[in-house]
Amino acid sequence: MSTILHPNRMSTPQPSSIEENEIILGTGMGPLRFGATMDEVRTLVGEPEEIEESEDDDEFEHQAWNYHEEDYLLSLYFDREDDFRLSCIETDNPGMRLYGEAIHGMSIDQVKALMARHQQAEPEQETMEEGAVRLSYEKSMIDLYFEEGELQFVNFGVYISDDMEVQWPK
């Protein structure tokens, strides 16, 4: 079986795939998988523009690697307690997807309906000091933040069992 080459087609980079921005609860986002080492993450996404160390009074000692893309921020968290493996992702990527649907800019009700369609329990809802609203789905380890009624960014992490054991994806 031979491959037919098309000499008239220029080799152009493909637009980023949908999968790259797909949030998979408890697992990661796109090729980023919870449990990845810092070296594995560096291979996938390169050197971070900024590395933040946790404050001395933080409950968990961690590092946050920040990637400042053209129109969004990606922060990856590595906890000391988990041997500095990737355990949490925060992003305001306008292309982020959950259950195959683009979610950036969705209303609170749209996100609640999407989560309900996927058997997610009713979330905790909290209005923050500056007026932003946070929806928290504790079992699914995801917080969704809304400003002026629209989803702006999400923070999601590896699943934790009822007895506080980290559930690394297989």
Side-chain angles (χ1 to χ4, degrees):
M1 189 163 182
S2 64
T3 305
I4 299 170
L5 298 175
H6 296 277
N8 297 339
R9 290 194 186 154
M10 297 296 291
S11 176
T12 54
Q14 296 299 306
S16 61
S17 68
I18 291 170
E19 293 81 21
E20 185 179 314
N21 301 320
E22 181 73 27
I23 295 167
I24 303 154
L25 296 175
T27 300
M29 185 168 100
L32 290 168
R33 293 289 185 257
F34 296 132
T37 65
M38 289 177 162
D39 285 341
E40 290 167 337
V41 168
R42 200 176 275 115
T43 299
L44 283 170
V45 290
E47 288 293 332
E49 280 82 11
E50 173 185 33
I51 295 179
E52 292 179 40
E53 300 282 343
S54 53
E55 301 292 321
D56 290 338
D57 59 352
D58 275 356
E59 187 178 343
F60 298 107
E61 189 178 337
H62 67 271
Q63 275 190 12
W65 289 13
N66 296 323
Y67 295 86
H68 301 274
E69 303 298 334
E70 282 179 29
D71 55 353
Y72 68 93
L73 176 68
L74 174 67
S75 297
L76 306 176
Y77 293 86
F78 302 86
D79 289 335
R80 176 184 187 75
E81 188 175 291
D82 298 323
D83 301 319
F84 288 107
R85 293 162 68 192
L86 179 62
S87 60
C88 183
I89 298 172
E90 185 171 285
T91 187
D92 62 354
N93 184 330
M96 64 182 155
R97 301 174 72 79
L98 182 61
Y99 300 117
E101 293 190 34
I103 59 171
H104 193 269
M106 273 189 173
S107 71
I108 293 170
D109 288 341
Q110 287 173 313
V111 169
K112 283 181 174 180
L114 172 66
M115 296 297 274
R117 285 195 304 275
H118 293 276
Q119 291 71 50
Q120 297 293 332
E122 194 62 25
E124 283 184 30
Q125 183 169 329
E126 179 183 357
T127 302
M128 316 295 276
E129 284 178 24
E130 64 281 355
V133 172
R134 180 182 73 204
L135 288 185
S136 295
Y137 290 86
E138 195 173 324
K139 276 267 190 236
S140 300
M141 297 298 291
I142 185 169
D143 291 330
L144 303 105
Y145 294 85
F146 299 80
E147 291 173 14
E148 296 176 14
E150 293 186 350
L151 180 64
Q152 297 302 312
F153 70 96
V154 297
N155 180 307
F156 56 100
V158 66
Y159 286 164
I160 309 287
S161 70
D162 291 337
D163 55 3
M164 301 307 288
E165 290 293 318
V166 174
Q167 306 294 299
W168 296 114
K170 303 278 183 261

